[in-house]
Amino acid sequence: MSTTLFSAAFGVGTQNRQGAWLEVFYAQPLINPSAELIAAVAPILGYTGGNQAITFSTAQAAQMAEAVKPVDAAQAALLTRLAESHKPLVATLLAEDATLTTTPEAYLKLHLLSHRLVKPHGLNLAGVFPLLPNVAWTSQGAIDLSELAERQLEARLRGELLEVFSVDKFPKMTDYVVPAGVRIADAARIRLGAYVGEGTTVMHEGFVNFNAGTEGPGMIEGRVSAGVFVGKGSDLGGGCSTMGTLSGGGNIVIKVGEGCLIGANAGIGIPLGDRNTVESGLYLTAGTKVALLDENNQLVKVLKARDLAGQPDLLFRRNSQTGAVECKTHKSAIELNEALHAHN
């Protein structure tokens, strides 16, 4: 058996009364774990290769802690703590970055993103939605929806309030990991699986979906939709939106370059190059007709916004008299136009 794996983690989670996984917490997920670590735990777990999620007992956790002490002190310390658990334990071992098959695998990949071990679009997340059960996220943790009413009654009979914070497939990122060097005004608006780069501030109305995020530093007061990655030094103004692949963006990967500004209540459906500005209130879809202007504000050509995708140093604005969407550049628009069509 090959002991070279793509990822591995030891976790503690929640199951429903039928033993199905609702969620898993991995304190120290690993990318490319050492062959020595895997060789030490494989016999105890009965791992023989491939992508597997293997439940293990507290006694096995203690065994593995002793076995890995010589090769990985941090994982040994974690396993020692897991040996004290009153909740179910699982080891998730991924030989390759393949299509997901279990809920613990799905949670591991979401952890890899939020721990900044992999950037958005760096993982195969095919099959993720059916493997994330829709659960009630409560003051007593994750609860199966079919069991919620009974649990609420049980809490009331004990004189307690079971508070339901949300009903969703994705939990809050900060219940699993708080990345270093970030400010998050409302933790409920960052889903597990978000990549929040160091130096990022997410204000109260900001939102970051899974498999999306920011390189950092940056200011997020708008919506970073699934699949969107925001470059260094960019600012998303209040109420602005980025079109993700889950909300009509098709197969176009929407990203925001470095040093960009998307104004308040604006939006983009195209990738932005570095140092782009989108005027407040302007929603720029791929098919939006854009008048390309030269340095004298003379029309060069009318084209679709997708033809300007990824180009640097652009200002997108709406003419307040005609309503036309216009684009100006720090460069000559003629030069830009020639560059756009050089390979046609």
Side-chain angles (χ1 to χ4, degrees):
M1 180 194 75
S2 171
T3 52
T4 301
L5 300 190
F6 166 70
S7 181
F10 305 103
V12 54
T14 307
Q15 295 175 327
N16 65 13
R17 290 171 179 170
Q18 286 71 48
W21 288 103
L22 300 180
E23 58 85 41
V24 183
F25 170 72
Y26 300 103
Q28 298 174 28
L30 299 171
I31 281 284
N32 302 319
S34 71
E36 293 80 10
L37 173 68
I38 303 306
V41 302
I44 300 169
L45 293 170
Y47 174 67
T48 56
N51 289 7
Q52 293 191 48
I54 304 170
T55 57
F56 61 93
S57 66
T58 53
Q60 286 173 305
Q63 277 184 279
M64 288 190 288
E66 288 299 316
V68 304
K69 269 183 184 177
V71 297
D72 194 322
Q75 292 295 316
L78 171 62
L79 286 161
T80 299
R81 297 300 305 277
L82 293 180
E84 306 166 3
S85 178
H86 297 284
K87 299 279 284 183
L89 303 173
V90 62
T92 302
L93 306 166
L94 303 181
E96 58 181 343
D97 181 21
T99 299
L100 295 162
T101 59
T102 67
T103 297
E105 290 176 36
Y107 266 83
L108 174 51
K109 289 193 175 181
L110 295 179
H111 277 72
L112 293 177
L113 286 159
S114 290
H115 276 271
R116 301 178 185 154
L117 295 172
V118 182
K119 290 184 178 179
H121 298 288
L123 290 170
N124 182 349
L125 294 174
V128 67
F129 285 104
L131 296 172
L132 296 175
N134 194 30
V135 302
W137 301 100
T138 79
S139 51
Q140 295 182 11
I143 298 178
D144 189 300
L145 291 176
S146 67
E147 301 168 7
L148 179 60
E150 186 177 350
R151 292 282 295 273
Q152 287 174 316
L153 176 59
E154 289 172 356
R156 293 281 182 165
L157 294 174
R158 293 193 300 269
E160 301 172 358
L161 172 64
L162 192 161
E163 186 174 0
V164 179
F165 301 116
S166 68
V167 178
D168 195 8
K169 287 179 171 287
F170 292 83
K172 292 188 293 187
M173 180 189 74
T174 53
D175 285 347
Y176 294 79
V177 55
V178 178
V182 303
R183 291 171 54 206
I184 298 171
D186 185 350
R189 298 182 66 83
I190 315 293
R191 279 173 146 185
L192 182 64
Y195 181 112
V196 185
E198 187 168 0
T200 299
T201 295
V202 185
M203 294 302 289
H204 298 78
E205 295 304 314
F207 171 80
V208 186
N209 211 335
F210 82 104
N211 198 32
T214 63
E215 183 75 27
M219 174 67 72
I220 305 299
E221 298 180 270
R223 179 183 178 85
V224 182
S225 299
V228 178
F229 196 55
V230 179
K232 295 178 182 179
S234 288
D235 185 341
L236 272 62
C240 81
S241 179
T242 55
M243 186 182 292
T245 54
L246 300 181
S247 58
N251 294 321
I252 300 174
V253 175
I254 306 299
K255 63 180 182 178
V256 178
E258 297 184 5
C260 290
L261 171 62
I262 303 178
N265 298 316
I268 59 167
I270 63 169
L272 294 184
D274 295 342
R275 300 172 302 279
N276 276 206
T277 298
V278 180
E279 180 186 69
S280 296
L282 174 60
Y283 205 113
L284 201 65
T285 65
T288 299
K289 294 293 181 65
V290 179
L292 188 63
L293 305 180
D294 65 18
E295 64 271 27
N296 298 313
N297 289 327
Q298 297 302 305
L299 178 65
V300 176
K301 187 174 184 178
V302 175
L303 35 67
K304 292 184 178 179
R306 65 167 62 93
D307 296 325
L308 296 166
Q311 295 292 327
D313 302 297
L314 302 181
L315 165 63
F316 293 96
R317 68 188 188 189
R318 187 179 296 279
N319 187 301
S320 60
Q321 292 182 304
T322 67
V325 177
E326 300 173 341
C327 176
K328 289 206 65 173
T329 175
H330 296 163
K331 303 175 183 178
S332 160
I334 304 268
E335 291 173 359
L336 174 63
N337 195 46
E338 289 174 351
L340 284 172
H341 299 285
H343 303 290
N344 283 2

